[in-house]
């Protein structure tokens, strides 16, 4: 039976690859994002449903919740380094604003979306959050927000467990073919990131999508409360 999947930030990059993976399996997929033109193009290409939603806006999240009936898998992918295209803060007010943007985009967005859809999450389902290697390596507000997401996930998994719902974080390393670096990636930086891996290549959005798909599968029903690193060995763990 087809499942109902919601992928936030599903118009491009990792979110798009996740949506494609579930669609290929015959599931009904809803993608969300802020840019209507991008969403509509992706929806047409993949054959999925699109709903415009800024996941830092409580009214838009409430509207999304009203538009969906039942959710088997929620993938909290919306976010990104909000300061990639901004100048470094020069005073405390600017620093505070920058950190708030990071926390809202990468932590609060997932919290609010999950809470809004909580009563629609079906037993046997899954919540998967997209974290970042930055949570371990450190990256100011962005890394702190992703670390907070991993901590939030533990409590959420405990809360959802009695309902038969799992919750996990997938933590990517450097993934090419995304908008994350906003065209600011230099060749030297890319080389450094690739050389840090054991496999000698950048990750692809499909690498992350495969792990997300597994965590939502019947084979992962006993995996919950975890952060799964997918980084080619750039940040190995025990």
């Amino acid at each position: 039976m087809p499942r109902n999947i919601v992928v936030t930030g599903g118009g491009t990059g990792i979110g798009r690859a996740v949506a494609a993976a579930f669609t290929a399996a015959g599931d009904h997929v809803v993608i969300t994002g802020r840019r209507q033109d991008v969403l509509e193009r992706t929806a047409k290409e993949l054959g999925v449903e699109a709903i415009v939603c800024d996941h830092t806006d409580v009214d838009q999240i409430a509207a999304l919740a009203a538009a969906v009936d039942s959710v088997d898998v929620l993938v909290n992918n919306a976010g990104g380094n909000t300061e990639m295209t901004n100048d470094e803060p020069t005073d405390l007010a600017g620093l505070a604003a920058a950190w708030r943007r990071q926390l809202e985009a990468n932590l609060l967005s997932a919290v609010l979306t999950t809470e809004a859809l909580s009563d629609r999450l079906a037993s046997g389902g899954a919540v998967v959050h997209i974290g970042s290697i930055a949570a371990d390596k450190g990256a100011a507000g962005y890394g702190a927000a992703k670390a907070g997401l991993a901590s939030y996930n533990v409590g959420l998994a405990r809360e959802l467990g009695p309902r038969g719902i799992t919750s996990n974080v997938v933590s990517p390393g450097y993934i090419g073919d995304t908008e994350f670096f906003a065209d600011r990636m230099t060749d030297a930086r890319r080389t450094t990131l690739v050389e840090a891996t054991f496999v000698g290549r950048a990750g692809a959005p499909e690498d992350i999508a495969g792990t997300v798909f597994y965590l939502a599968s019947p084979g992962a029903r006993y995996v919950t409360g975890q952060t799964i690193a997918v980084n080619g060995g750039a940040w190995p763990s025990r």
Side-chain angles (χ1 to χ4, degrees):
M1 179 179 293
R3 298 175 296 176
N4 295 318
I5 317 295
V6 174
V7 182
T8 74
T12 62
I14 291 172
R16 189 187 195 284
V18 169
F22 283 107
T23 302
D27 294 318
H28 173 257
V29 178
V30 174
I31 60 172
T32 72
R34 294 175 298 175
R35 296 174 295 176
Q36 184 172 356
D37 58 334
V38 173
L39 283 179
E40 290 179 349
R41 181 170 62 250
T42 298
K44 182 177 181 180
E45 291 171 352
L46 298 183
V48 303
E49 182 181 351
I51 298 177
V52 175
C53 182
D54 179 341
H55 289 270
T56 66
D57 185 311
V58 294
D59 292 331
Q60 292 188 42
I61 295 171
L64 168 66
V68 298
D69 295 323
S70 177
V71 180
D72 295 291
V73 181
L74 168 62
V75 182
N76 284 314
N77 169 72
N81 193 330
T82 62
E83 304 313 293
M84 194 63 69
T85 57
N86 291 331
D87 295 330
E88 287 289 328
T90 58
D91 55 25
L92 286 178
L95 181 63
W99 274 67
R100 289 191 181 102
R101 286 190 293 267
Q102 296 280 27
L103 293 169
E104 288 181 356
N106 295 291
L107 174 56
L108 195 56
S109 61
V111 173
L112 295 174
T113 303
T114 305
E115 180 63 26
L117 296 177
S118 179
D119 62 353
R120 292 160 174 76
L121 294 173
S123 178
V127 179
V128 183
H129 315 279
I130 304 302
S132 174
I133 193 173
D136 296 305
K137 298 185 71 174
Y142 177 70
K146 291 299 190 182
L149 181 64
S151 180
Y152 163 68
N153 173 68
V154 175
L156 181 65
R158 184 181 299 114
E159 174 187 332
L160 296 179
R163 295 170 52 188
I165 302 168
T166 61
S167 182
N168 294 285
V169 175
V170 176
S171 179
Y174 169 48
I175 306 298
D177 299 323
T178 74
E179 297 179 340
F180 181 85
F181 288 96
D183 295 327
R184 290 192 173 188
M185 172 69 76
T186 65
D187 289 342
R189 177 61 172 157
R190 184 184 187 282
T191 297
T192 297
L193 292 174
V194 169
E195 288 180 346
T197 71
F198 294 163
V199 297
R201 68 170 177 86
E206 291 74 17
D207 292 318
I208 307 305
T211 305
V212 172
F213 191 83
Y214 161 69
L215 290 171
S217 73
R221 292 301 80 209
Y222 202 57
V223 180
T224 194
Q226 307 301 311
T227 295
I228 312 298
V230 185
N231 57 44
W235 191 263
S237 60
R238 181 172 61 82

